């Protein structure tokens, strides 16, 4: 770099000296340069003063703002007399990254506005396209997206007549026609059509909900149109467009690097390569011309920025040509809960099929029944065993839940994440910008001053040595904001008394700012602010040099004080002042900190009360992490990243019990996630930078926080659009409600299936009796269709993570099904004595059908809550109006069909007195079953609760002891910590993941893929294809 520097063009020099907010923050206490989270790039180290060549002039880039930062300027030969180069000030952009998010909510995408990025050179290849040319090319090559195959509505409707359940109904209708039972034929055909119409309506509504979710995120990129850089949707890019990309951006189309910084490009999404490629680079043997400048769609710019020329878009890109394979890999995938549920359903259906085969054999051989009629009865039995509405209910439930979470500022990119969030037991959270405000704040009460100088004077002098035009500088911004809070309305007048004659801004070499000014009372002053060592004694660093008065005597005192503040987690700047021609005198040490958000402490408390252990995983310094953790009540067990290696069983146990890690690298974050998963925990991970993508992809729930880069957002399952963790708590509550709804429906439907199959089997084997096939089909269809409102039912979130337990759900379903079967068989025995009617078999069949139908409908009220039905009838746990109307509407409907049987000819006529007694019988049966469930729960036996007896999640307020504890030590969250510890044991025992496999792989350094393939991403192109490709090439990380 030292040899290249004299030949660097302006566009290469500016990034070399660019000032990142992270490096300014770090300079105060330790002087290290940290990675900018917004750009994903780091500042290039400068040559030493002795060997550093000089630059004749510096011209600011076009289109840059008006704030200032210093650069070096001198002659190429080092100056006429070899003197040190002079510090000068040039313009750089303020707010460079305010509109740099290329993937953002639609209302924050700034489409059509001027992009605050460099315009580039005036060379012909940088001219870009006119609007007319771009429109013509857009018509020729199409939009820059992968065309989604939208299924026409008529196809969606016709598909409702395909599948196992419709085929069975169609066969039943045909058999009814064959045996001449035209009444059953008409009713079955009508039910087939009605079922198809309802399924079409609900599926269409679910599609509209998902389309609305997809539309909430917009991909944009700065593009040169008509000679101006404007923000355009990625979908409108065409070959020939000149675009601007920087660190953290996902390449939106196959492009060619034109000019700017050298870039590091992560191609893992396409090639699986773990090492980023450098662009531009010389073409290698066998490569096409220009391959070294190629940027492929879906790759990530990890470092650098520059202008690129779009070559191919949409289906013509490399990732677009593989779209068929990628879309297949990213197609519908079931979450853990849905997978387990479908396993249970398959088992139930398999048992029903075996039973049906036996029934068919017995009916034909033993009972000598006509084969076609016996086959119709068997088909009815199988139809009753199949939960036709289960996939639809799950899809609608998750679509509604995703829409609700979007309104709460959490956009779900993979629907399966809704099931995972409910099971989350550990949340690994970033610090800066998530737990804290990401804005430095001065603590005037902690300012240390020397020789009687007042803290207010020291703060005022620090304000004078700050640049108010440089609004993006965190140090200057914090100092000036503190002045406004301290001095109030008098701030401007106080600072204006100091008339600046010269101001030398900060740069990474001298690490200080110096203001030369005049004051009506104090005369001429020279005020310096910066790194302590560079203010106390500057050394020969090429700037304005001095050594403070009594520096040798002061050195130990101020360093000890600085170390004391640093140990408490504060960043510091020093202030020195000289009057007239007098020596510089050390004045003060000003501490500052990135303060926690106002709601962070309360949110941490709530998340822990929800049974989720929170760990801070940050790249910041250990002392700063410990202080922040103490302030938010997280605990002070923060360890350095060096404790993560080497891997061992002791290390794994330490990860489990610690409150987090500081000074971590990307691989450290992912290692923490792997170890926690290896212990059987469901892990959530927050991130915002390019290098967070591996950990976000590894965690079961990857969460991109507000302001995250496109790389982090494309790897995440949930994207937050408001700052802080409070949104995550809202997402946890909503996800647990979704889980409760799904569990209620599954519990109900499996129990109903067991009842139908067992009752019919007992009637056939024990009584040589059966129900008409029409009744069984009507029973299955009506009971399924009326349960669709469960998708939006009122549900209470569990106080603990919802770990799917299939044995618990199966046990509860068997108990419910057995009790319902017992209730029906008792009615079957009592019917000839109590409900005689006309004494015919048809009357008996109709009465039994009505009892079963109504009992199954009412069962949902017990299945939907672990508590008592009567207690849940009011308050937040009450069933939704839609569900109540559906259940009682269905029961009223079948009652009317039975009461007016002579009119409708669907159900054999029943006497109204008997219908009323059946209502009372079924309501009484519901209360008896529910009372038994309540008694079991009181006795601590949750056999009928299916694991839902963990209490209700509350938006708990901080206890007074925690609110009053300003230091927030570990004792302040003792109860929450204890709850999380208990949960660790619970989750590890009841894990839904095959974690032993992960643990074994992690121990030998392997990189296992995600446990469950994600469902299709709802992000726009190319982020959706990149998310799928990341899964396919995950070993690259």
């Amino acid at each position: 770099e030292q040899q290249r520097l004299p030949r660097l063009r302006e566009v290469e020099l500016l990034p070399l000296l660019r000032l990142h907010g992270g490096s300014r923050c770090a300079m105060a206490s330790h002087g290290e340069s940290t990675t900018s989270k917004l750009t994903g790039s780091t500042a290039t180290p400068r040559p030493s003063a002795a060997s550093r060549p000089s630059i004749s002039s510096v011209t600011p880039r076009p289109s840059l703002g008006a704030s200032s930062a210093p650069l070096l300027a001198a002659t190429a030969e080092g100056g006429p007399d070899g003197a040190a180069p002079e510090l000068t000030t040039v313009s750089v952009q303020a707010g460079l990254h305010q509109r740099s998010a290329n993937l953002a909510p639609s209302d924050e995408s700034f489409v059509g506005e001027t992009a605050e990025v460099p315009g580039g050179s005036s060379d012909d290849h940088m001219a870009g396209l006119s609007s007319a040319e771009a429109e013509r090319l857009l018509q020729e090559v199409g939009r820059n997206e992968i065309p989604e195959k939208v299924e026409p509505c008529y196809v969606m409707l016709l598909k409702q007549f395909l599948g196992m359940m419709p085929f069975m109904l169609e066969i039943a209708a045909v058999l009814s026609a064959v045996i001449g039972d035209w009444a059953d034929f008409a009713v079955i055909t009508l039910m087939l059509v009605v079922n198809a119409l309802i399924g079409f309506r609900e599926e269409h509504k679910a599609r509209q909900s998902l389309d609305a979710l997809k539309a909430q995120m917009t991909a944009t990129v700065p593009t040169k149109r008509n000679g101006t850089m404007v923000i355009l949707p990625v979908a409108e890019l065409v070959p020939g467009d000149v675009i601007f990309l920087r660190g953290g951006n996902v390449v939106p189309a196959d492009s060619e690097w034109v000019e700017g910084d050298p870039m590091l490009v992560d191609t893992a999404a396409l090639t699986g390569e773990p090492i980023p490629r450098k662009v531009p680079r010389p073409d290698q043997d066998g490569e096409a011309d220009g391959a070294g400048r190629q940027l492929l769609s879906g790759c990530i710019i990890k470092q650098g920025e520059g202008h690129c020329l779009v070559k191919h878009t949409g289906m013509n890109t490399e990732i677009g040509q593989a779209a068929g394979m990628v879309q297949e890999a990213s197609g519908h995938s079931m979450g853990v809960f849905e997978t387990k549920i479908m396993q249970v359903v398959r088992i139930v259906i398999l048992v029903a099929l075996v039973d049906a085969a036996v029934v068919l054999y017995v009916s034909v051989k033993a009972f000598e029944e006509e084969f076609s009629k016996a086959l119709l009865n068997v088909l009815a039995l199988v139809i009753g065993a199949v939960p036709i509405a289960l996939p639809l209910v799950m899809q609608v439930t998750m679509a509604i839940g995703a829409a609700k979470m979007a309104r709460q500022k959490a956009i779900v990119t993979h629907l399966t994440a809704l099931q995972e969030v409910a099971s989350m037991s550990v949340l690994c959270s970033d610090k800066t910008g998530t737990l804290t405000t990401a804005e430095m704040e001065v603590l005037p009460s902690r300012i240390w001053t020397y020789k009687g100088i007042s803290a207010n004077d020291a703060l005022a002098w620090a304000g004078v040595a700050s640049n108010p035009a440089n609004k993006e500088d965190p140090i200057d911004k914090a100092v000036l904001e503190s002045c406004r809070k301290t001095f109030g309305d008098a701030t401007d007048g106080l600072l204006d008394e100091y008339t600046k004659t010269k101001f030398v801004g900060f740069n990474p070499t001298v690490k200080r700012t110096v203001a030369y000014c005049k004051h009506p009372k104090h005369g001429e002053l020279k005020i310096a602010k910066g790194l302590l060592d560079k203010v106390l004694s500057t050394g020969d660093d090429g700037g304005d040099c001095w050594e403070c008065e009594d520096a040798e005597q002061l050195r130990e005192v101020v360093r000890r004080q600085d170390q004391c503040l640093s140990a408490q987690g504060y960043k510091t700047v020093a202030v020195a002042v000289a009057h007239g021609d007098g020596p510089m005198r050390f004045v003060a040490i000003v501490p500052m900190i990135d303060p926690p958000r106002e709601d962070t402490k309360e949110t941490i408390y709530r998340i822990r009360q929800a049974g989720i252990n929170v760990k801070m995983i940050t790249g910041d310094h250990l002392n700063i992490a410990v202080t922040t953790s103490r302030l938010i009540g997280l605990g002070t067990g923060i360890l350095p990243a060096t404790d993560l290696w080497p891997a061992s069983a002791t290390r794994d146990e330490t990860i489990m019990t610690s409150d987090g890690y500081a000074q971590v690298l990307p691989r450290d974050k992912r290692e923490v996630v792997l170890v926690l998963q290896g212990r059987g925990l469901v892990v959530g991970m927050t991130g915002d930078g390019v290098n967070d993508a591996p950990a976000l992809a590894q965690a079961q729930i990857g969460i991109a926080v507000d302001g995250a880069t496109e790389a982090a957002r494309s790897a995440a399952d949930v994207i937050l659009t408001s700052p802080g963790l409070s949104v995550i708590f809202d997402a946890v509550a909503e996800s647990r409600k979704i889980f409760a709804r799904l569990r209620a429906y599954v519990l109900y439907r499996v129990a109903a299936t067991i009842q139908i199959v067992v009752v019919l089997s007992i009637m056939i084997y024990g009584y040589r009796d059966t129900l008409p096939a029409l009744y069984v089909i009507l029973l299955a269809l009506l009971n399924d269709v009326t349960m669709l409102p469960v998708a939006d039912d009122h549900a209470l979130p569990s106080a603990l993570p919802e770990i799917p337990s299939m044995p618990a759900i199966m046990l509860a379903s068997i108990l419910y099904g057995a009790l319902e079967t017992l209730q029906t068989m008792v009615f079957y025995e009592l019917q000839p004595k109590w409900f005689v009617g006309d004494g015919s078999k048809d009357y008996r069949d109709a009465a039994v059908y009505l009892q079963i139908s109504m009992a199954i409908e009412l069962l949902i009220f017990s299945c939907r809550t672990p508590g008592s039905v009567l207690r849940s009838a009011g308050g937040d746990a009450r069933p939704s109006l839609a569900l109540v109307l559906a259940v009682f509407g269905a029961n009223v409907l079948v009652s009317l069909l039975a009461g007016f049987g002579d009119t409708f000819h669907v159900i054999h006529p029943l006497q109204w007195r008997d219908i009323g007694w059946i209502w009372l019988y079924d309501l009484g049966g519901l209360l008896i079953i529910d009372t038994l469930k309540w008694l079991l729960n009181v006795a601590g036996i949750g056999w009928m609760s299916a694991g839902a007896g963990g209490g209700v999640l509350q938006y708990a307020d901080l206890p007074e002891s925690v609110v009053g504890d300003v230091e927030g030590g570990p004792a302040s969250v003792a109860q929450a910590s204890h709850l999380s510890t208990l949960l660790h044991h619970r989750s590890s025992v009841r894990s839904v993941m095959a974690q032993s496999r992960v643990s074994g792989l992690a121990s030998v350094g392997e990189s296992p893929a995600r446990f469950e393939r994600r469902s299709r991403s709802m992000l726009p192109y190319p982020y959706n294809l990149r998310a799928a490709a990341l899964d396919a090439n995950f070993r690259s990380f």
Side-chain angles (χ1 to χ4, degrees), residues 311-523:
K311 291 293 187 178
H312 303 288
T313 60
M315 291 296 294
N316 296 320
T317 62
E318 290 289 336
I319 199 171
Q321 292 175 6
M325 175 192 68
V326 172
Q327 286 181 339
E328 180 180 354
S330 62
H332 175 69
S333 178
M334 295 182 290
V336 174
F337 180 66
E338 188 176 354
T339 301
K340 298 296 182 182
I341 290 302
M342 294 311 296
Q343 290 175 358
V344 172
V345 170
R346 290 189 188 102
I347 293 173
V348 173
I349 292 177
L350 179 62
V351 172
L353 288 174
V354 172
D355 182 61
V358 175
V359 167
L360 180 62
Y361 179 82
V362 170
S363 298
V364 175
K365 293 294 184 180
F367 301 159
E368 297 181 352
E369 191 172 342
E370 186 179 349
F371 178 80
S372 59
K373 186 176 180 181
L375 181 60
L376 183 59
N377 291 332
V378 166
L379 280 174
L381 176 63
V382 175
I383 290 172
V386 177
I388 32 179
L390 177 60
L392 190 58
V393 168
M394 299 193 82
Q395 183 182 17
V396 173
T397 300
M398 290 190 291
I400 292 174
K404 289 183 178 179
M405 288 179 64
R407 290 194 292 270
Q408 295 172 349
K409 306 298 184 182
I411 296 176
V412 178
T413 63
H414 300 85
L415 282 183
T416 53
L418 291 172
Q419 301 170 39
E420 312 288 1
V421 173
S423 303
M424 182 170 64
S425 49
V426 179
L427 175 64
C428 298
S429 176
D430 188 24
K431 178 184 74 71
T432 306
T434 304
L435 300 174
T436 65
T437 62
E439 294 184 358
M440 300 302 295
E441 182 177 288
V442 172
L443 303 177
S445 62
R446 304 299 296 269
I447 293 177
W448 181 87
T449 59
Y450 182 63
K451 282 190 175 181
I453 300 295
S454 70
N456 283 353
D457 286 343
L459 182 60
W461 287 332
V464 174
S466 301
N467 181 7
N470 195 6
K471 297 178 181 179
E472 294 304 304
D473 184 282
I475 302 296
D476 288 357
K477 182 179 179 181
V479 170
L480 293 171
E481 184 63 27
S482 181
C483 287
R484 293 186 184 93
K485 290 182 179 179
T486 302
F487 305 123
D489 296 337
T491 302
D492 293 338
L494 179 65
L495 298 183
D496 288 343
E497 291 180 357
Y498 295 84
T499 304
K500 295 180 185 179
T501 58
K502 183 180 179 182
F503 184 86
V504 180
F506 176 91
N507 80 66
T509 301
V510 299
K511 294 183 173 65
R512 60 183 178 273
T513 61
V514 183
Y516 300 84
C517 55
K518 293 181 179 180
H519 189 271
K521 180 178 178 182
H522 302 296

Side-chain angles (χ1 to χ4, degrees), residues 67-142:
S67 64
S68 60
L71 295 174
L72 294 176
T75 63
E77 290 75 21
D81 53 1
E86 178 187 359
L87 288 171
T88 188
T89 300
V90 298
S91 297
V92 297
Q93 178 183 356
L96 183 66
H97 303 296
Q98 291 175 352
R99 300 180 181 179
S100 65
N102 288 10
L103 178 63
S106 300
D107 56 352
E108 300 175 12
S109 58
F110 303 105
V111 172
E113 298 189 17
T114 301
E116 297 175 349
V117 299
S121 66
S122 57
D123 296 343
D124 291 341
H125 59 269
M126 287 289 297
L129 300 174
S130 65
S131 297
E133 291 174 318
E135 183 64 28
R136 178 180 57 81
L137 287 170
L138 189 64
Q139 295 297 325
E140 291 180 6
V141 302

Side-chain angles (χ1 to χ4, degrees), residues 59-60 129 170 206 236 274 301 344 421 505 533 542 546 614 641 680 686 716 725 750 765 820 822 849 869 883 955:
T59 304
L129 300 174
E170 290 157 7
E236 296 181 9
I301 309 299
V344 172
V421 173
D533 287 340
W546 67 80
V614 182
T686 70
L725 286 182
V750 175
Y765 298 138
E820 289 277 293
L822 178 61
Y849 160 73
V869 168
L883 181 61
Y955 278 75

Side-chain angles (χ1 to χ4, degrees), residues 265-276 298-300 302 645 665-671 674 689-699 711-712 714-716 1005-1010 1014 1026-1037:
V265 182
D266 179 1
T267 64
L270 287 179
T271 66
E273 294 183 19
I275 307 299
C299 297
I300 291 180
K302 299 208 62 155
W645 309 101
L665 299 174
R667 71 163 186 160
D668 299 328
K669 292 185 177 183
R670 185 168 175 268
E671 181 69 13
L674 277 171
V690 178
N691 293 328
D692 291 326
L696 291 173
Q698 177 62 43
S714 65
E1006 291 282 348
S1007 301
R1010 287 179 60 94
R1014 296 178 179 182
R1026 171 180 165 73
L1030 282 176
D1031 286 342
N1033 294 301
F1034 189 76
R1035 288 184 179 273
S1036 64
F1037 292 119

